Amino acid sequence: MVPLSPSWQIGQGSRTVAVLEKTGDTYCINIVMDASKAEMENAKKSGTVVSNAMLCPCCGKTTPISSLRKDKVDESGNTIYGLRQWEKHDFDYKENDVFHERLYAVRYVKADRTRYYRAPNDRDLQNEQIIKKYVADNIYRWQVEGFIPSSEIESGYNTDQPIRERGWRYWHQLFNPRQLLLHGLIQQSVRTLATTSLELVCGSLSIHRCCNWNSRLCSWGVGQARESMAQTFYNQAFNTMWNYGARGLTLLSGVYYLTLENLPSDLKIDAITMLGDARENKSYADIWFTDPPYADAINYHELTEFFLAWDKKLLPTVFPDWYADSKRVLAVKGDEHFSNSMIEIYHNLTCHMNDDGLQIVMFTHSDTAVWAQLALIMWKSGLKVSAAWSITTETPRSGYNDGNYVQGTVLLVLRKQTGNDTAYLDEINVDIKNEVKVQIESMQALDDKDEPNFSDTDYVLAAYAASLKVLTSYKNIGELDLDYELNLAINDPAKSKVVSLIERAKKIAFDFIVPTDFESYLWKDMTSAERFYIKGLESEKHGNYQISTYQEFARGFAIGSYSQLMANEKANTARLKTPVEFAMRSLNEVPDFESSTLRLILAAIYISIKEDARPEKGLFHIKNNLPDYWGSRDMIKQLLAFLKDTKDIGNMPHWAESAEMADHLYVLVENDHI
């Protein structure tokens, strides 16, 4: 029996590690606090799960995890069963299961808030057995009464993951016995003690919070400042864990109790809440607010079933007119029916809105083809964009930033398309350029240079919105067939004229997004590859190491290949090369950068460092290789000033030596005279 964990570090701040000790056919797990630097490093590297394979700590061989789940036949013809599919009343692993789980560390918090960890003792393990017996004795009754879930996990893109990876086929199996005991007793107490529907609702919401922060899917964090559990939905998936955290009752109280501050005591809301399909809506409204899914939509209809499983009895009791399932069949999914579903919805809402009414649509995406689809959807629904602005709505997704995730949302204001104006593509291009310029300049005027409110992504989203504002302001665009364009935007974006228009808007935006303290006239004289590097370095200065940021810059500046400029291209540690890492190597894949002034300056910094920290050698290299040195001094000083400002930035120690030399070179150029 091999304990599976990607790392045996428990906490960096407290310097706590787990140490494996082989005893017969299994391993003891001992807990060591105040571990040495060597012990910490060894715990980090000695994980038994590496690249989706089990690494045996005894023999050093690896076995793919996927093969552990498969049934096998031994030499005698006997079947060795792999992953067992759990039954309805199962809540714990069985003796012959390929996977088990065990408590291997207990954390205590002293009165002075200091923490200490220890391995579970006999009393702890006996308590776990008492809990399992209590749950076993009550699970059938609790499921019938709705205190814990009894419903089966319906197959789907996200919901197949726990079935496929652990054999968990029912929602309650995503919680261990201790978690089921706590949540079940809380649910029972809420039902018993609540005297009003409002109290039942508040209790239900608090139980949802407990489930989110206390399940088998809650990862354990071992960062310097974080020795705690992440929530189940730290990203939009059902990720099964090799090791996870479970909260005791005292720690769960911080999750259960909701604090609602600064609410007026006389607050009264006269509202009616109805659930239904937007395509079937028959109510009229002056204003419609919608937060629609996107063309590659997150499967919220699947994810919400995690919570709805706990509400099967409660929801129909408190809200008799509501339903207690996710209505998967009605969900707008990111499939071939997405655009048609969206058109049906928005056309229906438009028909149930007065001529002077409006709609607010929240939308966020980094793909121009998706924005082209949105433009065509709104167009065909009889709507036009009259205004737009960006706000930050998403928090960074720790550990999951290798996709096109954006943190800003554009709020589009739409009104009925009542005119009959027609335009042509050449006119549209000019209008879009002007609208993007106005939109970005208005945001820049509002922004705080010391603590920016808007990121580059916000400006790009604003450019998308500006292009939609222009496009949808016309009833017709002479050369365009909307149905044909919508089909192209979905199936062949490269040939879509609307996609091209929005792509051009993004490039216009990047022309206007000048780094702080960078002269705009110099920015316009730089090559696309130079702009890519400078914007990437500016992003790194702000602590952004997402590869998606560089991918977006590459698209915006039309850089086909940028790998030679990167020191690292991993999801959350992506960064550019320093002058020393470039050395004097040829950048044949990026000729636009190889022949640039910036490349010459980076080479000069490297030469200065290599030549025993003599900046005059670097200046000689610049003068000897730049045809118009005296006419280029403003550009040289601007670039050196930007590079030297990487000095003393906490997250950029790798730039310290190069930044120091850039500072010396800047002084030489500044004081250089004919």
Side-chain angles (χ1 to χ4, degrees):
M1 296 294 290
V2 176
L4 298 179
S5 178
S7 168
W8 292 112
Q9 279 193 1
I10 292 175
Q12 287 186 10
S14 62
R15 302 205 316 276
T16 305
V17 299
V19 179
L20 299 185
E21 179 184 338
K22 191 170 183 296
T23 56
D25 292 333
T26 187
Y27 286 85
C28 289
I29 304 177
N30 301 313
I31 305 301
V32 176
M33 291 197 67
D34 296 320
S36 65
K37 185 176 180 180
E39 288 174 321
M40 290 290 292
E41 193 62 28
N42 182 63
K44 184 178 180 180
K45 294 180 178 178
S46 61
T48 50
V49 178
V50 180
S51 300
N52 294 318
M54 178 186 74
L55 174 64
C56 179
C58 183
C59 66
K61 293 181 179 179
T62 58
T63 304
I65 297 294
S66 58
S67 71
L68 298 177
R69 299 188 180 106
K70 294 179 180 177
D71 293 346
K72 306 175 189 65
V73 179
D74 64 16
E75 295 176 355
S76 303
N78 299 317
T79 300
I80 302 173
Y81 292 99
L83 186 65
R84 176 178 68 89
Q85 298 296 298
W86 289 28
E87 299 299 328
K88 184 172 183 176
H89 299 302
D90 287 333
F91 61 89
D92 195 19
Y93 293 88
K94 292 186 176 180
E95 176 111 17
N96 294 327
D97 282 348
V98 65
F99 295 127
H100 289 217
E101 70 179 17
R102 59 165 150 167
L103 175 65
Y104 71 96
V106 183
R107 190 187 81 178
Y108 288 84
V109 181
K110 299 179 182 178
D112 62 0
R113 306 307 297 168
T114 58
R115 303 167 177 175
Y116 74 92
Y117 299 82
R118 64 168 175 79
N121 56 29
D122 289 342
R123 180 175 175 274
D124 296 320
L125 298 177
Q126 287 171 6
N127 282 342
E128 295 306 302
Q129 293 304 315
I130 292 171
I131 288 170
K132 289 179 183 180
K133 184 177 186 310
Y134 193 90
V135 174
D137 291 342
N138 289 278
I139 186 169
Y140 180 78
R141 178 176 61 84
W142 282 358
Q143 287 183 326
V144 169
E145 296 182 9
F147 298 147
I148 62 174
S150 60
S151 54
E152 190 171 1
I153 300 174
E154 185 179 341
S155 178
Y157 178 84
N158 287 115
T159 48
D160 276 347
Q161 189 174 0
I163 301 171
R164 181 178 63 249
E165 295 179 358
R166 291 293 188 277
W168 299 333
R169 297 192 301 120
Y170 293 83
W171 285 110
H172 71 279
Q173 291 158 359
L174 273 57
F175 303 86
N176 72 16
R178 178 180 286 272
Q179 292 165 337
L180 287 174
L181 173 70
L182 286 175
H183 300 174
L185 290 175
I186 291 171
Q187 180 98 283
Q188 184 177 21
S189 298
V190 167
R191 304 277 189 85
T192 303
L193 299 174
T195 57
T196 66
S197 294
L198 179 60
E199 289 178 351
L200 277 174
V201 170
C202 290
S204 177
L205 290 173
S206 292
I207 290 165
H208 287 180
R209 284 167 56 87
C210 292
C211 294
N212 184 32
W213 286 95
N214 193 39
S215 77
R216 279 180 164 136
L217 309 185
C218 291
S219 63
W220 176 253
V222 295
Q224 186 72 31
R226 179 174 164 258
E227 294 179 20
S228 61
M229 297 162 54
Q231 58 182 312
T232 298
F233 291 107
Y234 66 96
N235 73 336
Q236 278 71 37
F238 291 117
N239 297 302
T240 58
M241 301 293 159
W242 297 114
N243 57 349
Y244 66 90
R247 294 171 183 261
L249 183 60
T250 53
L251 194 58
L252 203 59
S253 66
V255 173
Y256 180 85
Y257 291 112
L258 293 163
T259 303
L260 302 176
E261 299 176 343
N262 302 321
L263 288 178
S265 58
D266 59 346
L267 179 66
K268 293 181 180 179
I269 300 175
D270 184 14
I272 299 172
T273 303
M274 297 180 292
L275 303 185
D277 186 345
R279 285 161 286 209
E280 302 297 327
N281 169 69
K282 292 188 172 49
S283 299
Y284 279 82
D286 295 316
I287 305 175
W288 291 104
F289 292 90
T290 54
D291 184 5
Y294 316 128
D296 53 356
I298 292 169
N299 297 297
Y300 289 114
H301 51 286
E302 294 182 19
L303 302 179
T304 54
E305 291 168 1
F306 175 87
F307 299 108
L308 288 171
W310 291 82
D311 296 334
K312 292 294 184 183
K313 299 285 186 181
L314 179 69
L315 272 177
T317 301
V318 181
F319 303 106
D321 296 330
W322 288 19
Y323 45 81
D325 64 89
S326 65
K327 297 294 181 191
R328 281 196 188 193
V329 70
L330 299 179
V332 178
K333 305 178 182 69
D335 56 19
E336 67 274 15
H337 304 297
F338 169 76
S339 294
N340 288 334
S341 298
M342 290 276 281
I343 291 168
E344 288 177 16
I345 288 169
Y346 282 102
H347 177 71
N348 185 45
L349 296 182
T350 304
C351 290
H352 289 85
M353 179 178 79
N354 296 324
D355 287 348
D356 59 350
L358 57 86
Q359 297 193 34
I360 308 295
V361 177
M362 300 177 67
F363 203 77
T364 181
H365 208 284
S366 63
D367 192 334
T368 50
V370 174
W371 279 91
Q373 288 180 54
L374 180 66
L376 293 161
I377 287 165
M378 297 307 166
W379 224 338
K380 288 180 67 64
S381 302
L383 293 166
K384 64 178 180 180
V385 177
S386 61
W389 68 95
S390 296
I391 59 171
T392 299
T393 54
E394 305 289 337
T395 54
R397 293 171 181 158
S398 176
Y400 286 84
N401 294 314
D402 51 347
N404 283 330
Y405 300 126
V406 290
Q407 291 170 227
T409 293
V410 176
L411 273 68
L412 302 170
V413 181
L414 298 109
R415 296 183 182 274
K416 278 188 176 182
Q417 175 65 264
T418 55
N420 289 299
D421 294 343
T422 298
Y424 294 89
L425 287 177
D426 54 346
E427 298 173 308
I428 291 288
N429 278 315
V430 175
D431 290 347
I432 286 177
K433 182 175 182 179
N434 293 334
E435 187 63 37
V436 170
K437 183 175 183 291
V438 169
Q439 184 81 32
I440 289 179
E441 286 179 348
S442 66
M443 292 169 68
Q444 289 173 332
L446 291 170
D447 216 356
D448 185 329
K449 289 187 176 181
D450 295 325
E451 296 183 17
N453 298 305
F454 301 118
S455 67
D456 291 338
T457 304
D458 292 320
Y459 287 113
V460 171
L461 291 176
Y464 291 155
S467 62
L468 262 64
K469 186 177 178 181
V470 173
L471 285 167
T472 58
S473 65
Y474 298 100
K475 183 70 173 179
N476 301 293
I477 292 184
E479 305 97 314
L480 296 186
D481 179 306
L482 297 189
D483 291 320
Y484 179 68
E485 277 295 319
L486 183 56
N487 180 62
L488 286 178
I490 297 169
N491 298 309
D492 197 358
K495 294 181 180 178
S496 167
K497 293 178 181 178
V498 175
V499 172
S500 297
L501 285 169
I502 297 176
E503 190 69 44
R504 196 171 294 119
K506 179 166 70 172
K507 291 176 182 176
I508 293 168
F510 273 105
D511 287 338
F512 284 105
I513 304 172
V514 182
T516 306
D517 299 326
F518 215 100
E519 294 292 343
S520 59
Y521 77 94
L522 293 173
W523 180 251
K524 291 176 182 177
D525 287 341
M526 293 173 67
T527 68
S528 294
E530 286 178 305
R531 292 185 192 181
F532 170 86
Y533 188 90
I534 292 298
K535 287 301 297 182
L537 197 59
E538 181 186 48
S539 181
E540 189 179 341
K541 286 180 180 181
H542 295 147
N544 184 352
Y545 290 91
Q546 299 177 15
I547 188 60
S548 58
T549 299
Y550 291 95
Q551 292 168 347
E552 195 62 34
F553 286 152
R555 283 191 287 268
F557 294 121
I559 304 293
S561 176
Y562 58 91
S563 290
Q564 287 188 331
L565 306 181
M566 304 297 295
N568 190 335
E569 293 184 74
K570 293 183 179 178
N572 299 314
T573 55
R575 69 170 180 84
L576 295 159
K577 287 179 180 176
T578 65
V580 174
E581 290 167 328
F582 275 121
M584 298 299 290
R585 298 182 186 89
S586 174
L587 303 175
N588 57 302
E589 292 180 14
V590 200
D592 193 26
F593 189 79
E594 175 71 357
S595 59
S596 68
T597 303
L598 176 57
R599 174 65 175 120
L600 189 64
I601 290 172
L602 294 173
I605 293 172
Y606 167 71
I607 290 169
S608 301
I609 293 171
K610 185 181 177 185
E611 295 288 337
D612 300 321
R614 296 170 64 189
E616 63 273 13
K617 291 283 188 180
L619 181 60
F620 176 79
H621 179 77
I622 293 173
K623 284 185 168 183
N624 199 42
N625 289 276
L626 193 61
D628 185 19
Y629 167 75
W630 296 107
S632 303
R633 284 179 72 230
D634 285 349
M635 177 67 82
I636 294 168
K637 287 194 296 180
Q638 177 75 89
L639 292 172
L640 285 169
F642 188 84
L643 296 175
K644 73 185 181 71
D645 282 347
T646 56
K647 186 167 56 177
D648 300 327
I649 294 179
N651 61 287
M652 300 180 73
H654 49 285
W655 262 93
E657 186 179 32
S658 297
E660 185 73 30
M661 189 53 65
D663 199 358
H664 293 317
L665 274 169
Y666 179 86
V667 172
L668 287 181
V669 174
E670 173 76 9
N671 294 293
D672 197 13
H673 301 287
I674 298 176

